[in-house]
Amino acid sequence: MSEKNSLQALFLRPKNWQMDSVKKENVWILSVNVLLVGILLSALMWFGFSRLQYVFMWEHVWYYRINMINGFLMTIVISISSLGLSVLLGIFFGLAQRSRIHMLRIFSRIYIEAIRGTPLLVQILIFFYVIANALGLNNRYVAGILIMSIFSGAYLAEIIRAGVESIGSTQIETARAIGLTKRQTYRFVVFPQVITRVLPPLAGQFASLIKDSSLLSIIAIKEFTLAAREVNANTFSTLESYIPLAIGYLLLTLPISYLTGRLERRYRYET
Amino acid sequence: MRLNILDMTKEFGNHRVLDSVSLYLEDVRSLVLIGPSGGGKTTFLRILAGLEPITSGEIMVNDHRLSCSEEKLLEYRKHIGMVYQAYNLFPHLSALENIILPLTRVHGMTKRDAEDHARSLLKRFHLEEHAAKRPVALSGGQQQRIAICRAVAIKPEFLLLDEPTSALDPEYTSEVLDLIRELHEEGMDLILVTHEMGFAHSAADYVLFISDGGISAQGSPAEIFEQSENHRVSRFLDKVLKYTK
Ligand SMILES: Nc1ncnc2c1ncn2[C@@H]1O[C@H](COP(=O)(O)OP(=O)(O)O)[C@@H](O)[C@H]1O
Ligand SMILES: [Mg+2]
């Protein structure tokens, strides 16, 4: 092997490399490249901060660590509750779009288009200051979970509708031919397949939900982002407040995106 | 089987596909439908399968009067077996589970009985090694044979097959036709749409030529395939058989 070839092997993947060939890449090659990317990024950051002449004062933020942790936990609670509720909304409105009742179909369409076509920030403000007020809903945490559920439910409804529609009409016809009722067809034919198909986008939606819930800080819900903003306001240590914030969100979203990737791969092999 | 069709008309919107068709047949054990594509064969078969209500007319199949209400048609469909061109099997279930599903959920068998029954069917048709496989892992011919097993597992009064070999690679055609012939010889009544004229000729008791919104010609295989004076039939046969002679 010539020197040039071994250099090439270190930095370039072979030409005949394919997505499907499950062959593990050489661990050594991979770690060298990860390390190089790491050094490059650190150099870039170091350069950026050196121009800023920023003096890190971590001890101020450390003093407020309990607030940060509580905010982090609150974000988890809000995200999980909203996910559960939005799955119910998503299933209902996803199926309602196929309903025979015109009003139900129209209502779902309006709901989905209105939510997907407006910024979450606007939805939060309108829901909290107009609708929640009118309903006499005083608990802002409940309001926050409701808003996030309504927001996320619209996206899930589309995911679920697409999943149900991806089950071919021949399968529905076959189910009828063997004598299954409509309900049985959904239960034994449609749902089992839809679930495997919507799991990856569902996981992706969960990751978005976690990040998007940061906007709830504007209605003074003490979640992760508000905690960081408060620490910043008290200590004037902007970066020391927001860097842990970014890392905290990554801690939540990275495992989900890893899971999404795995689910997608498994689904690909199943079909 | 006995078929009594009176003035049957079927429209999709204002497109009339079958136009006041009448037919009386008794003691036919295998009925074959042939004809040009778009002629209405599939529609005819789906009506007989209880999958498509007719626009007007009356149909008696054996002792069943086909009604227009979906509940009654659902009840009727429990007595018959239907096999399509392709994609008959549910992709998320194994071959065995595909056969078991209607047995347990529609015909009230226990899981255990259903499984025994399904396994013995697979065994009889030399498919037992594929019992645990999903449809993706099966060849087109194996899929069709398992689909036929599922259709006959419920002990239907007769079996409807819509071009069961048309979507297959030619090498798989004969294994599927062999299975159909075997079933027929064991007493299963058939209604079959096919372009396999050789098979139609040898297996049919009676042939219907469907085109232009109705039955353009009918008779024994000999009458249709050898002596037909109907120019539509002879033109169609010339085309279909052009490269087989
Ligand atoms: N569900 C449907 N809706 C509207 N038109 C249909 C439908 N099914 C069949 N047709 C029409 O009915 C005619 C006959 O179709 P088909 O029964 O599939 O014929 P064949 O099976 O002989 O090819 C065609 O013109 C087709 O377009
Ligand atoms: Mg057809």
Side-chain angles (χ1 to χ4, degrees), chain A residues 170-181 184 187-190 192-193 197 269-271, chain B residues 46 50-51 70 74 77-78 80 82 84 87-88 90-92 101-102 105-107 134 136 150:
Chain A
T170 40
Q171 282 197 54
I172 309 294
E173 172 105 351
T174 302
R176 286 181 68 210
I178 63 175
L180 295 180
T181 61
Q184 286 178 320
R187 182 162 160 215
F188 299 117
V189 178
V190 177
Q193 296 182 72
R197 282 179 210 196
Y269 291 131
E270 263 187 8
T271 42
Chain B
R46 294 184 65 236
L51 288 164
E70 174 63 21
L74 178 70
R77 292 198 289 268
K78 294 180 184 173
I80 55 160
M82 173 94 187
Y84 303 95
Y87 308 117
N88 283 285
F90 299 120
H92 62 299
L101 179 67
R105 300 298 171 181
V106 180
H107 298 271
R134 298 252 179 115
V136 265
R150 182 179 65 192

Side-chain angles (χ1 to χ4, degrees), chain B residues 34-243:
Chain B
I34 60 170
S37 135
K41 304 180 297 296
T42 296
T43 306
F44 198 166
L45 209 65
R46 294 184 65 236
I47 290 169
L48 293 179
L51 288 164
E52 195 74 67
I54 54 177
T55 311
S56 66
E58 265 187 67
I59 306 180
M60 286 282 292
V61 182
N62 292 342
D63 299 324
H64 309 281
R65 178 178 299 280
L66 296 201
S67 108
C68 286
S69 88
E70 174 63 21
E71 293 101 80
K72 287 193 184 138
L73 286 179
L74 178 70
E75 197 48 45
Y76 165 75
R77 292 198 289 268
K78 294 180 184 173
H79 300 277
I80 55 160
M82 173 94 187
V83 177
Y84 303 95
Q85 259 183 36
Y87 308 117
N88 283 285
L89 300 178
F90 299 120
H92 62 299
L93 300 178
S94 70
L96 189 73
E97 290 164 339
N98 261 285
I99 300 177
I100 290 176
L101 179 67
L103 294 176
T104 55
R105 300 298 171 181
V106 180
H107 298 271
M109 279 174 89
T110 64
K111 187 129 205 239
R112 205 202 173 101
D113 290 347
E115 185 169 336
D116 287 346
H117 183 49
R119 280 195 193 282
S120 69
L121 259 175
L122 287 174
K123 189 157 183 189
R124 209 174 93 204
F125 297 112
H126 312 295
L127 291 161
E128 69 264 44
E129 62 193 290
H130 307 302
K133 291 183 192 163
R134 298 252 179 115
V136 265
L138 298 165
S139 75
Q142 289 160 351
Q143 289 183 31
Q144 284 303 70
R145 287 189 289 152
I146 287 161
I148 294 171
C149 283
R150 182 179 65 192
V152 298
I154 63 159
K155 305 203 170 75
E157 291 179 25
F158 54 93
L159 190 58
L160 297 158
L161 303 124
D162 189 2
E163 304 193 29
T165 58
S166 297
L168 294 181
D169 289 335
E171 52 180 311
Y172 299 128
T173 302
S174 63
E175 66 186 48
V176 174
L177 294 179
D178 283 344
L179 174 55
I180 296 171
R181 182 187 297 275
E182 204 175 322
L183 284 168
H184 184 51
E185 282 164 4
E186 284 170 21
M188 178 62 66
D189 288 355
L190 305 176
I191 301 180
L192 170 69
V193 176
T194 188
H195 290 299
E196 296 291 332
M197 292 305 156
F199 186 77
H201 198 160
S202 66
D205 291 345
Y206 202 76
V207 180
L208 302 179
F209 184 85
I210 313 269
S211 72
D212 306 286
I215 303 171
S216 311
Q218 53 181 300
S220 68
E223 285 167 336
I224 294 291
F225 290 112
E226 286 152 31
Q227 308 143 19
S228 179
E229 277 155 22
N230 186 316
H231 70 278
R232 283 190 193 126
V233 177
S234 36
R235 261 218 329 261
F236 172 73
L237 288 178
D238 281 347
K239 261 191 239 165
V240 178
L241 299 176
K242 190 165 174 189
Y243 292 109

Side-chain angles (χ1 to χ4, degrees), chain A residues 194-206:
Chain A
V194 168
I195 286 171
T196 47
R197 282 179 210 196
V198 304
L199 267 183
L202 190 72
Q205 185 61 36
F206 187 39

